[in-house]
Amino acid sequence: MATEPARRRLSREERHAQLIDVAWRIIREEGTAALTLGHLAQQAGVTKPVVYDHFTNRSGLFAMLYKEFDRRQTALMDDNICRAAPTLEPRAAVVAASYIECVLQQGREVPSVMAALTGTPELAQIRQEYAAGFTEKCRALFAPFCDGQPLRDAALRGMLGAAEGLSDAVVNGVVSEQQAKDELFQVIIAMVQRCCTLAEGGERDE
């Protein structure tokens, strides 16, 4: 009688990736309310202590899911930026398209994760880290087109707010994917052009 081959023990990194994948599947198929550490352990075929070792608590799990989404969004954007021409319009198009496309890949799952984190300390920290990382990336990306004038924090946060709002509108069927990309592209271009205008105004005032 043939015996089944012994299953390979997953490394910590592999187990973590498996748990993240299973957690996204649970949210997609059953909703965020169904995602508990116990249910995750059951669906992943591991014991509860294994799951608690990776995420500590339910809020920690949702926080890790959002960070994993952010990581993939950043990787997608970086890859597309490397392929784009180093001029303003191609870079603006890449940022706009990458942002909208990554949100669409997750559909309603990311907003559900954020909703599950409402009121937790993890949510405030995640928002701060994400906003800081994204705006600093854009500041560096568009700095060559600002005539030496730094992009202001208010402008960058306004652009991020537009990106979030347009992504939500696409997910909820209010606007099309292309409309969202086109509008975000125009927001980015206007942000950079306004920065250049301010720089010229400063030179005239001197």
Side-chain angles (χ1 to χ4, degrees):
M1 181 177 178
T3 58
E4 293 184 1
R7 291 194 299 176
R8 183 175 68 87
R9 185 182 181 87
L10 298 181
S11 68
R12 182 173 179 81
E13 292 75 17
E14 290 171 332
R15 179 64 70 193
H16 187 85
Q18 181 220 8
L19 293 173
I20 290 291
D21 288 343
V22 174
W24 281 122
R25 177 173 58 78
I26 291 172
I27 292 175
R28 185 167 54 251
E29 297 177 356
E30 305 177 52
T32 53
L35 183 55
T36 64
L37 296 188
H39 188 46
L40 175 58
Q42 182 183 41
Q43 291 296 306
V46 299
T47 61
K48 285 185 181 180
V50 171
V51 176
Y52 277 91
D53 181 50
H54 281 268
F55 305 111
T56 307
N57 54 39
R58 190 167 183 262
S59 294
L61 168 59
F62 281 109
M64 192 61 68
L65 287 172
Y66 188 84
K67 289 179 179 179
E68 193 265 344
F69 160 75
D70 180 31
R71 180 191 61 75
R72 284 188 288 106
Q73 185 182 50
T74 300
L76 173 65
M77 188 177 298
D78 288 346
D79 183 57
N80 289 338
I81 287 170
C82 289
R83 302 178 185 180
T87 52
L88 174 57
E89 292 196 354
R91 286 189 175 183
V94 162
V95 172
S98 298
Y99 195 102
I100 301 299
E101 287 170 6
C102 195
V103 172
L104 282 176
Q105 286 178 7
Q106 292 300 130
R108 297 180 182 274
E109 297 158 31
V110 171
S112 296
V113 167
M114 297 299 283
L117 283 167
T118 299
T120 66
E122 288 86 355
L123 178 58
Q125 181 179 358
I126 285 172
R127 283 192 177 281
Q128 290 175 3
E129 291 176 353
Y130 174 74
F134 182 75
T135 54
E136 286 307 310
K137 177 182 288 291
C138 290
R139 192 196 307 274
L141 194 62
F142 297 115
F145 317 111
C146 293
D147 293 338
Q149 183 81 1
L151 279 168
R152 298 183 178 184
D153 290 340
L156 288 162
R157 293 302 178 109
M159 182 266 294
L160 175 58
E164 291 175 342
L166 287 165
S167 297
D168 184 66
V170 174
V171 170
N172 288 289
V174 178
V175 300
S176 70
E177 176 182 351
Q178 192 57 52
Q179 286 174 325
K181 290 179 180 178
D182 291 344
E183 187 63 29
L184 184 53
F185 170 80
Q186 293 298 333
V187 168
I188 295 170
I189 295 294
M191 174 185 68
V192 175
Q193 289 177 341
R194 182 169 178 269
C195 181
C196 293
T197 300
L198 290 173
E200 292 172 359
E203 291 174 359
R204 286 195 297 268
D205 292 341
E206 290 178 354

